[in-house]
Amino acid sequence: MDSERMHCRVWKNGKLIGTEVARDKILDALRDPDHLVWLDLVEATAEEFAWIAEAFQLAPTEIEDITAPHERPKVTRRGTHLFFTTYSATVVDGELRMRRISGFVLPQGMVTVRQADFPIEAALRTWEENADLLAHGPRALVHGLMDSVVDGHFETIQTFDDRVEALDDVLFERERTGPDFLREIYGLRRDLVSLRRVVLPMREVVNALVRHGGRTDPDLDPWFDDLYDHVLRAGEWTDSLRDLVSSIFETNLSLQDARLNMIMRQLAAWAAIIAVPTAITGWFGQNVPYPGFSQTWGFWASVLLIVAGSAGLYWAFRRRGWV
């Protein structure tokens, strides 16, 4: 594997001592109790990962899970190592993008296999900002990685929250709730469903990391507790946004029905008003004698009846808000 697709960092007592390690020395560093190692492989195939799998006796099913598509976020324990899979979630040009990272937590380090555009820089910043925690071993690496992933989830959820607020602002504006509005609601609801599939399982991921992560550490436990709290908040926020989008969709349908009923009442009212002159002119248009037939006063009587009848109906409908 070329150097552009393989990255490595080595710490000793929480201090970074190397960022470029030869492949033949990486395994020695991963077995050295005085070092903490992070090995990162980008778009690695099963064949390219074989030397790591053989050295640490990794299960074939775990190697398969690294390359298999559509794996769900999870954590499993086998022997002396943990295997995990999780996803980042970002919005790029209005499109939700999720990228996977899988990894093995070993006694002296962590090996990750990720997609090329997974935002690993966020994890690197977290490790740099909390370098003192790295003295506590691989659990600190896992915490930094998961913390950066969850922070990315929060940023994405905030983006969706802003979009929901924008939809809420135009919900009662009749001219702007047409097909484009419905298309936006549908797209947002679809993205929230996809986001929920990677956010909610993070509860079990973090829980499993705490349960199976080895001995507890008084210095790291509060950080994992805080991470778990963030995961819960992200899941609840995602659920509330999904419910709110559903509410906006249903409210829009109710408003459309109300507007349709108003239009139907208006049409019925004007039809009734127009029926008055139709009926009166039909009566006075008979070819038989009637009071006022061929008389000037008969003409004015018909006009008066038309005006009075139409005005009376208009006033009655106006009071009821039909016109």
Side-chain angles (χ1 to χ4, degrees), residues 105-161:
V105 185
L106 304 171
Q108 301 303 325
M110 180 173 69
V111 179
T112 56
V113 181
R114 62 183 172 91
Q115 293 178 301
D117 48 356
F118 179 89
I120 196 64
E121 297 80 9
L124 296 176
R125 287 195 300 270
T126 302
W127 292 334
E128 292 173 358
E129 293 170 359
N130 302 283
D132 56 318
L133 294 180
L134 297 180
H136 298 278
R139 291 186 75 217
L141 288 177
V142 177
H143 171 270
L145 175 61
M146 295 300 169
D147 189 57
S148 66
V149 169
V150 175
D151 286 346
H153 291 172
F154 267 109
E155 294 177 4
T156 301
I157 296 171
Q158 181 63 62
T159 301
F160 286 137
D161 190 281

Side-chain angles (χ1 to χ4, degrees), residues 2-3 48 76 102-104 106 130 134 143 171 240 260 299 309-310 313 318:
D2 57 73
S3 59
E48 293 172 330
T76 58
S102 300
F104 297 88
L106 304 171
N130 302 283
L134 297 180
H143 171 270
L171 179 60
S240 66
L260 179 60
F299 166 75
S310 298
L313 285 177
R318 185 71 176 180

Side-chain angles (χ1 to χ4, degrees), residues 22 72 79 94 109 159 183 197 239 284 309 314:
R72 67 184 299 272
T159 301
R183 190 178 297 110
R197 291 173 183 165
D239 282 340
F284 283 93
Y314 180 83

Side-chain angles (χ1 to χ4, degrees), residues 69 102 270 274:
S102 300
W270 283 112
I274 294 173

Side-chain angles (χ1 to χ4, degrees), residues 44-46 49 59-76 78 83-87 100-104 113-114:
T45 63
F49 196 76
T61 54
E62 295 173 330
I63 307 304
E64 180 183 357
D65 288 344
I66 288 178
T67 57
H70 311 303
E71 287 294 319
R72 67 184 299 272
K74 63 181 179 180
V75 171
T76 58
R78 184 182 295 269
F83 171 73
F84 67 85
T85 295
T86 189
Y87 291 81
R100 183 173 68 178
I101 184 169
S102 300
F104 297 88
V113 181
R114 62 183 172 91

Side-chain angles (χ1 to χ4, degrees), residues 49-280:
F49 196 76
W51 60 286
I52 294 289
E54 182 179 356
F56 292 96
Q57 298 180 349
L58 304 180
T61 54
E62 295 173 330
I63 307 304
E64 180 183 357
D65 288 344
I66 288 178
T67 57
H70 311 303
E71 287 294 319
R72 67 184 299 272
K74 63 181 179 180
V75 171
T76 58
R77 183 175 185 86
R78 184 182 295 269
T80 60
H81 69 268
L82 292 177
F83 171 73
F84 67 85
T85 295
T86 189
Y87 291 81
S88 68
T90 55
V91 177
V92 180
D93 297 329
E95 179 183 354
L96 177 64
R97 295 184 181 179
M98 293 180 291
R99 295 296 180 261
R100 183 173 68 178
I101 184 169
S102 300
F104 297 88
V105 185
L106 304 171
Q108 301 303 325
M110 180 173 69
V111 179
T112 56
V113 181
R114 62 183 172 91
Q115 293 178 301
D117 48 356
F118 179 89
I120 196 64
E121 297 80 9
L124 296 176
R125 287 195 300 270
T126 302
W127 292 334
E128 292 173 358
E129 293 170 359
N130 302 283
D132 56 318
L133 294 180
L134 297 180
H136 298 278
R139 291 186 75 217
L141 288 177
V142 177
H143 171 270
L145 175 61
M146 295 300 169
D147 189 57
S148 66
V149 169
V150 175
D151 286 346
H153 291 172
F154 267 109
E155 294 177 4
T156 301
I157 296 171
Q158 181 63 62
T159 301
F160 286 137
D161 190 281
D162 294 339
R163 289 172 59 183
V164 171
E165 287 186 5
L167 291 176
D168 196 41
D169 290 339
V170 302
L171 179 60
F172 294 95
E173 298 179 16
R174 182 180 307 181
E175 294 78 9
R176 300 178 61 184
T177 56
D180 291 339
F181 181 80
L182 295 176
R183 190 178 297 110
E184 177 71 15
I185 291 179
Y186 175 77
L188 185 56
R189 192 173 185 178
R190 179 192 58 202
D191 288 343
L192 284 172
V193 169
S194 300
L195 181 62
R196 188 173 183 269
R197 291 173 183 165
V198 301
V199 170
L200 288 191
M202 287 298 292
R203 300 178 184 178
E204 286 303 317
V205 169
V206 175
N207 242 336
L209 289 174
V210 173
R211 292 197 311 268
H212 304 307
R215 63 182 180 85
T216 59
D217 190 322
D219 294 325
L220 279 179
D221 289 346
W223 291 82
F224 274 97
D225 291 341
D226 183 66
L227 174 61
Y228 187 69
D229 179 66
H230 290 177
V231 168
L232 291 180
R233 287 169 52 199
E236 292 169 357
W237 196 358
T238 303
D239 282 340
S240 66
L241 284 181
R242 190 184 63 161
D243 293 341
L244 186 55
V245 170
S246 298
S247 177
I248 290 176
F249 181 77
E250 293 169 0
T251 302
N252 182 62
L253 290 180
S254 299
L255 289 174
Q256 295 292 342
D257 290 340
R259 290 164 185 162
L260 179 60
N261 289 337
M262 177 61 71
I263 292 173
M264 294 301 296
R265 286 199 300 265
Q266 291 174 343
L267 291 176
W270 283 112
I273 293 172
I274 294 173
V276 172
T278 302
I280 294 175

